[in-house]
Amino acid sequence: MNNQLIEKVIKTNNGSCPDFVFANPLLDRNIASALSKSFVQMFTTSRQTSSIHNNLRHTVLNNVRKICKIEPENHLKIREDTIDILSQCYVENIEETTENTQSLEKQLDDFLTRRMSGFNCTPKIDLAPNPEIVQALLNLNFSHTEVLMKNVLNWSVDDKTLNILKYLWTSKLEKENIYDDLSVKIKSEIEKDLLHLIHLIITDSRTDISHIFDDSMKHLVSKCSISNHCFQLCCGIMNNLFITTNFHPRIQSFIEIFLNNVKLGCTKPTISLLYPTHLSQIVLLLDIDINKLSGITKSKYVDVVINYLHDLSDKSENDLIMLLCHFHQWFEIYLASKNCK
């Protein structure tokens, strides 16, 4: 089927057709799903008054009948190992793309891409495999995604690759550390989602923030619980918005609920390991219920932590604001120590 016919079938029954991404549009699962739903609706819904619909319906039925013959004309006989052969062929094609990579250059490129992710750096080395081959592998339920993802930092992001990256982002991958690199590549999509949600909660006071974390934020929180890069990216976006809006109380509530949900799903020994290295030590100190400490112990503990916070204030005011927002019990204590100086 050509693009025009696919679009016509989908629009005849659904009203809207997803954008065509691949040269073979049926590689896109959204297109394939919309088309199959349209076929079902076409076959089950009677519209005798529409000659266009009936003609289209008869044409499709005739083609389905031809396909369903025991020995259709020009039909390729499928062996049991055909899927394995296709997968092997596609994997070899992907490996050929990367086999001539100079490892030292690539390692440096990967390091800089991760460290400078906040600046939307474009990698110098482009090892993006053919996106249509990657999508074909995914459609074959290819299980070894690490083969596809080992050079994801070096993919150039266009409509086709972004479509694949977003699909992989919502999938359950075998290796959790892959989400670190994925979050770098789809940074703009994560930013867009967070900006939309935060705009919603500050413009509509009726919006239940807790409900957002049961629905829209559920998937993102699960990724932040296992991915340092994703967690730090989200924290940076939320902190910038918190400061820009002059410490809007509903954003503060949003951040607090976000952190509590991340803690619940955190797969690391302590949540401090999700923070940047230079903050992990102080986070470990902040993440404690000081009300459970006895009088003298509590006083000495608070003094140590406050000294760390004062040092952090001199180095990075943004980091200080972020941590006081994340661990709100320390805000009044820190403010009181500033007033005593």
Side-chain angles (χ1 to χ4, degrees), residues 76-89:
L76 176 68
K77 293 186 177 180
I78 303 296
R79 294 175 6 202
E80 290 184 3
D81 60 351
T82 299
I83 291 178
D84 292 335
I85 293 171
L86 280 173
S87 297
Q88 184 179 347
C89 176

PDB file of all heavy atoms in Angstrom, residues 76-89:
ATOM      1  N   LEU A  76       6.276 -15.614  -0.648  1.00  0.00           N
ATOM      2  CA  LEU A  76       7.518 -16.173  -0.120  1.00  0.00           C
ATOM      3  C   LEU A  76       7.208 -17.204   0.958  1.00  0.00           C
ATOM      4  O   LEU A  76       6.490 -16.913   1.911  1.00  0.00           O
ATOM      5  CB  LEU A  76       8.387 -15.050   0.477  1.00  0.00           C
ATOM      6  CG  LEU A  76       9.685 -15.486   1.169  1.00  0.00           C
ATOM      7  CD1 LEU A  76      10.660 -16.045   0.130  1.00  0.00           C
ATOM      8  CD2 LEU A  76      10.315 -14.301   1.896  1.00  0.00           C
ATOM      9  N   LYS A  77       7.735 -18.396   0.803  1.00  0.00           N
ATOM     10  CA  LYS A  77       7.518 -19.434   1.812  1.00  0.00           C
ATOM     11  C   LYS A  77       8.410 -19.152   3.019  1.00  0.00           C
ATOM     12  O   LYS A  77       9.626 -19.006   2.900  1.00  0.00           O
ATOM     13  CB  LYS A  77       7.835 -20.815   1.231  1.00  0.00           C
ATOM     14  CG  LYS A  77       6.836 -21.241   0.137  1.00  0.00           C
ATOM     15  CD  LYS A  77       7.084 -22.658  -0.308  1.00  0.00           C
ATOM     16  CE  LYS A  77       6.034 -23.085  -1.343  1.00  0.00           C
ATOM     17  NZ  LYS A  77       6.236 -24.481  -1.811  1.00  0.00           N
ATOM     18  N   ILE A  78       7.782 -19.057   4.204  1.00  0.00           N
ATOM     19  CA  ILE A  78       8.492 -18.686   5.421  1.00  0.00           C
ATOM     20  C   ILE A  78       8.908 -19.934   6.190  1.00  0.00           C
ATOM     21  O   ILE A  78       8.082 -20.784   6.504  1.00  0.00           O
ATOM     22  CB  ILE A  78       7.608 -17.808   6.329  1.00  0.00           C
ATOM     23  CG1 ILE A  78       7.143 -16.557   5.572  1.00  0.00           C
ATOM     24  CG2 ILE A  78       8.359 -17.412   7.594  1.00  0.00           C
ATOM     25  CD1 ILE A  78       8.243 -15.634   5.166  1.00  0.00           C
ATOM     26  N   ARG A  79      10.215 -20.026   6.477  1.00  0.00           N
ATOM     27  CA  ARG A  79      10.693 -21.130   7.309  1.00  0.00           C
ATOM     28  C   ARG A  79      10.661 -20.713   8.769  1.00  0.00           C
ATOM     29  O   ARG A  79      10.547 -19.529   9.101  1.00  0.00           O
ATOM     30  CB  ARG A  79      12.130 -21.485   6.909  1.00  0.00           C
ATOM     31  CG  ARG A  79      12.210 -22.055   5.514  1.00  0.00           C
ATOM     32  CD  ARG A  79      13.623 -22.318   5.038  1.00  0.00           C
ATOM     33  NE  ARG A  79      14.676 -22.110   6.019  1.00  0.00           N
ATOM     34  CZ  ARG A  79      15.940 -21.873   5.673  1.00  0.00           C
ATOM     35  NH1 ARG A  79      16.266 -21.776   4.395  1.00  0.00           N
ATOM     36  NH2 ARG A  79      16.867 -21.715   6.590  1.00  0.00           N
ATOM     37  N   GLU A  80      10.794 -21.683   9.656  1.00  0.00           N
ATOM     38  CA  GLU A  80      10.715 -21.393  11.093  1.00  0.00           C
ATOM     39  C   GLU A  80      11.852 -20.496  11.558  1.00  0.00           C
ATOM     40  O   GLU A  80      11.720 -19.760  12.532  1.00  0.00           O
ATOM     41  CB  GLU A  80      10.726 -22.703  11.889  1.00  0.00           C
ATOM     42  CG  GLU A  80       9.441 -23.516  11.741  1.00  0.00           C
ATOM     43  CD  GLU A  80       9.456 -24.751  12.617  1.00  0.00           C
ATOM     44  OE1 GLU A  80      10.434 -24.930  13.371  1.00  0.00           O
ATOM     45  OE2 GLU A  80       8.490 -25.536  12.557  1.00  0.00           O
ATOM     46  N   ASP A  81      12.995 -20.579  10.889  1.00  0.00           N
ATOM     47  CA  ASP A  81      14.155 -19.807  11.333  1.00  0.00           C
ATOM     48  C   ASP A  81      14.289 -18.472  10.600  1.00  0.00           C
ATOM     49  O   ASP A  81      15.311 -17.788  10.717  1.00  0.00           O
ATOM     50  CB  ASP A  81      15.437 -20.620  11.157  1.00  0.00           C
ATOM     51  CG  ASP A  81      15.674 -21.011   9.692  1.00  0.00           C
ATOM     52  OD1 ASP A  81      14.754 -20.796   8.873  1.00  0.00           O
ATOM     53  OD2 ASP A  81      16.754 -21.527   9.392  1.00  0.00           O
ATOM     54  N   THR A  82      13.245 -18.065   9.867  1.00  0.00           N
ATOM     55  CA  THR A  82      13.332 -16.823   9.079  1.00  0.00           C
ATOM     56  C   THR A  82      13.574 -15.604   9.959  1.00  0.00           C
ATOM     57  O   THR A  82      14.389 -14.728   9.630  1.00  0.00           O
ATOM     58  CB  THR A  82      12.047 -16.612   8.248  1.00  0.00           C
ATOM     59  OG1 THR A  82      11.903 -17.705   7.340  1.00  0.00           O
ATOM     60  CG2 THR A  82      12.121 -15.311   7.460  1.00  0.00           C
ATOM     61  N   ILE A  83      12.870 -15.535  11.091  1.00  0.00           N
ATOM     62  CA  ILE A  83      13.031 -14.378  11.985  1.00  0.00           C
ATOM     63  C   ILE A  83      14.449 -14.302  12.516  1.00  0.00           C
ATOM     64  O   ILE A  83      15.054 -13.224  12.592  1.00  0.00           O
ATOM     65  CB  ILE A  83      12.010 -14.439  13.144  1.00  0.00           C
ATOM     66  CG1 ILE A  83      10.597 -14.213  12.596  1.00  0.00           C
ATOM     67  CG2 ILE A  83      12.334 -13.396  14.212  1.00  0.00           C
ATOM     68  CD1 ILE A  83       9.512 -14.299  13.635  1.00  0.00           C
ATOM     69  N   ASP A  84      15.039 -15.452  12.889  1.00  0.00           N
ATOM     70  CA  ASP A  84      16.421 -15.473  13.383  1.00  0.00           C
ATOM     71  C   ASP A  84      17.399 -15.018  12.301  1.00  0.00           C
ATOM     72  O   ASP A  84      18.356 -14.288  12.571  1.00  0.00           O
ATOM     73  CB  ASP A  84      16.798 -16.880  13.859  1.00  0.00           C
ATOM     74  CG  ASP A  84      16.041 -17.284  15.107  1.00  0.00           C
ATOM     75  OD1 ASP A  84      15.631 -16.373  15.852  1.00  0.00           O
ATOM     76  OD2 ASP A  84      15.863 -18.489  15.330  1.00  0.00           O
ATOM     77  N   ILE A  85      17.139 -15.459  11.064  1.00  0.00           N
ATOM     78  CA  ILE A  85      18.011 -15.071   9.950  1.00  0.00           C
ATOM     79  C   ILE A  85      17.928 -13.562   9.715  1.00  0.00           C
ATOM     80  O   ILE A  85      18.947 -12.883   9.530  1.00  0.00           O
ATOM     81  CB  ILE A  85      17.618 -15.836   8.662  1.00  0.00           C
ATOM     82  CG1 ILE A  85      17.920 -17.325   8.831  1.00  0.00           C
ATOM     83  CG2 ILE A  85      18.352 -15.275   7.452  1.00  0.00           C
ATOM     84  CD1 ILE A  85      17.373 -18.190   7.706  1.00  0.00           C
ATOM     85  N   LEU A  86      16.702 -13.020   9.751  1.00  0.00           N
ATOM     86  CA  LEU A  86      16.523 -11.575   9.572  1.00  0.00           C
ATOM     87  C   LEU A  86      17.231 -10.800  10.683  1.00  0.00           C
ATOM     88  O   LEU A  86      17.921  -9.806  10.424  1.00  0.00           O
ATOM     89  CB  LEU A  86      15.029 -11.235   9.568  1.00  0.00           C
ATOM     90  CG  LEU A  86      14.257 -11.472   8.269  1.00  0.00           C
ATOM     91  CD1 LEU A  86      12.765 -11.254   8.514  1.00  0.00           C
ATOM     92  CD2 LEU A  86      14.752 -10.556   7.170  1.00  0.00           C
ATOM     93  N   SER A  87      17.053 -11.252  11.917  1.00  0.00           N
ATOM     94  CA  SER A  87      17.681 -10.577  13.061  1.00  0.00           C
ATOM     95  C   SER A  87      19.198 -10.571  12.910  1.00  0.00           C
ATOM     96  O   SER A  87      19.855  -9.547  13.139  1.00  0.00           O
ATOM     97  CB  SER A  87      17.290 -11.265  14.368  1.00  0.00           C
ATOM     98  OG  SER A  87      15.900 -11.169  14.583  1.00  0.00           O
ATOM     99  N   GLN A  88      19.760 -11.709  12.532  1.00  0.00           N
ATOM    100  CA  GLN A  88      21.211 -11.805  12.363  1.00  0.00           C
ATOM    101  C   GLN A  88      21.697 -10.866  11.262  1.00  0.00           C
ATOM    102  O   GLN A  88      22.721 -10.194  11.411  1.00  0.00           O
ATOM    103  CB  GLN A  88      21.599 -13.247  12.030  1.00  0.00           C
ATOM    104  CG  GLN A  88      23.108 -13.455  11.928  1.00  0.00           C
ATOM    105  CD  GLN A  88      23.465 -14.899  11.610  1.00  0.00           C
ATOM    106  OE1 GLN A  88      22.628 -15.789  11.687  1.00  0.00           O
ATOM    107  NE2 GLN A  88      24.718 -15.128  11.245  1.00  0.00           N
ATOM    108  N   CYS A  89      20.946 -10.799  10.185  1.00  0.00           N
ATOM    109  CA  CYS A  89      21.301  -9.917   9.064  1.00  0.00           C
ATOM    110  C   CYS A  89      21.290  -8.455   9.507  1.00  0.00           C
ATOM    111  O   CYS A  89      22.204  -7.684   9.205  1.00  0.00           O
ATOM    112  CB  CYS A  89      20.334 -10.134   7.915  1.00  0.00           C
ATOM    113  SG  CYS A  89      20.578  -9.034   6.498  1.00  0.00           S
TER     114      CYS A  89
END
